[in-house]
Amino acid sequence: MSSTTRNTQIPHEDIIVTPQSDFTVQIKEFRQVGGRKLLKRTASLRVKRDTLANSSGYFQAMMGGRWTESEGDTITLEEDTVRSIEIWLRHFHGTLDVVTLDDISVADIWHIILASDKYQFNRNDLLQWFIRWYRNATAAGIHRDNLAKKLMLPCYAFDYAHGFQDLTKRLAYEEKGHIMEINPIDNVRLHLPPRIIRELSSQDTCTLHLNANKF
């Protein structure tokens, strides 16, 4: 479904999201190195124009308004990861099942959340997929590689109460000192609300109530 080529040592993927594609989403993924933003990889995602336009108010405005992109057959997105945008676009086109859960990292999940905020995607649409991913990711335990501390934010963002309560209950019983989350990506603005961390450290985690609308 995808191929990788190199152009001046920058990996590029051509990803067929749907065989009925008539539009291309170009992705430029960057990384931070010593305070500098460097191009890490690029991708061309082949999609249906109408499906993309109907995916959110953001793209509906882009494709149907006065933006330059509304008249062409390609748009370019920057400051996103290839994998996070691919997951959302495959979901909208009904081809998400081709992506193996083992191939999705915790960092990918965080970037999927960032993309939903940026492009006004409804995270509830991916809730059942996220639950399957969560169960697969935690099947071998939640303490390897600080997994529990990295998954609190995703469970909160997706309003997956069972997962959030399971993680925080175990951390409350097994951790020494205050419970702290771990952010596996460079974006520093994405984190649990401070009130949640305070509640985790001061009371029984079973009494916490999730409200993703306040996220």
Side-chain angles (χ1 to χ4, degrees):
M1 298 299 293
S2 66
S3 61
T4 301
T5 59
R6 287 189 176 274
N7 180 16
T8 63
Q9 298 183 337
I10 302 297
H12 178 81
E13 289 184 271
D14 191 15
I15 301 173
I16 310 297
V17 174
T18 175
Q20 293 78 39
S21 62
D22 58 7
F23 196 81
T24 300
V25 178
Q26 301 279 6
I27 305 293
K28 291 183 178 180
E29 181 176 333
F30 294 89
R31 59 192 175 96
Q32 293 289 335
V33 178
R36 294 186 302 160
K37 187 174 72 172
L38 301 179
L39 187 61
K40 178 181 179 181
R41 61 191 293 210
T42 62
S44 300
L45 284 73
R46 314 298 180 178
V47 302
K48 285 285 291 181
R49 181 188 181 94
D50 288 346
T51 301
L52 178 63
N54 292 328
S55 66
S56 73
Y58 181 98
F59 285 109
Q60 191 172 48
M62 176 186 287
M63 312 291 286
R66 298 178 180 178
W67 295 26
T68 302
E69 290 84 352
S70 66
E71 300 178 356
D73 59 3
T74 302
I75 60 171
T76 299
L77 305 180
E78 300 187 6
E79 310 297 337
D80 302 297
T81 65
V82 172
R83 180 63 85 182
S84 65
I85 299 301
E86 179 187 2
I87 292 299
W88 278 111
L89 295 184
R90 285 196 179 282
H91 165 69
F92 296 131
H93 288 81
T95 60
L96 187 51
D97 287 345
V98 306
V99 179
T100 304
L101 294 177
D102 286 336
D103 291 337
I104 306 300
S105 68
V106 177
D108 289 331
I109 296 296
W110 281 61
H111 283 291
I112 287 169
I113 295 167
L114 281 175
S116 70
D117 290 340
K118 181 177 180 180
Y119 298 114
Q120 303 170 16
F121 299 144
N122 186 351
R123 282 196 290 268
N124 190 58
D125 291 345
L126 271 185
L127 175 58
Q128 294 306 313
W129 176 85
F130 172 74
I131 292 174
R132 292 195 299 274
W133 177 88
Y134 173 89
R135 290 172 177 170
N136 181 72
T138 59
I142 64 171
H143 295 296
R144 57 186 177 85
D145 194 29
N146 287 310
L147 189 59
K149 295 180 180 180
K150 296 175 183 177
L151 288 180
M152 287 192 296
L153 181 281
C155 285
Y156 183 84
F158 279 100
D159 201 14
Y160 180 36
H162 177 78
F164 185 84
Q165 291 177 351
D166 183 51
L167 293 173
T168 54
K169 184 189 300 183
R170 295 193 192 186
L171 286 172
Y173 288 141
E174 300 172 15
E175 285 290 309
K176 295 180 180 179
H178 293 292
I179 296 176
M180 300 296 293
E181 63 178 329
I182 294 179
N183 183 337
I185 64 176
D186 292 333
N187 190 293
V188 296
R189 75 170 182 82
L190 194 60
H191 54 79
L192 284 169
R195 66 177 180 83
I196 296 295
I197 296 297
R198 289 195 299 269
E199 290 176 4
L200 288 175
S201 300
S202 64
Q203 66 182 36
D204 184 354
T205 58
C206 291
T207 65
L208 285 174
H209 297 284
L210 298 182
N211 186 346
N213 291 329
K214 295 182 180 179
F215 178 65

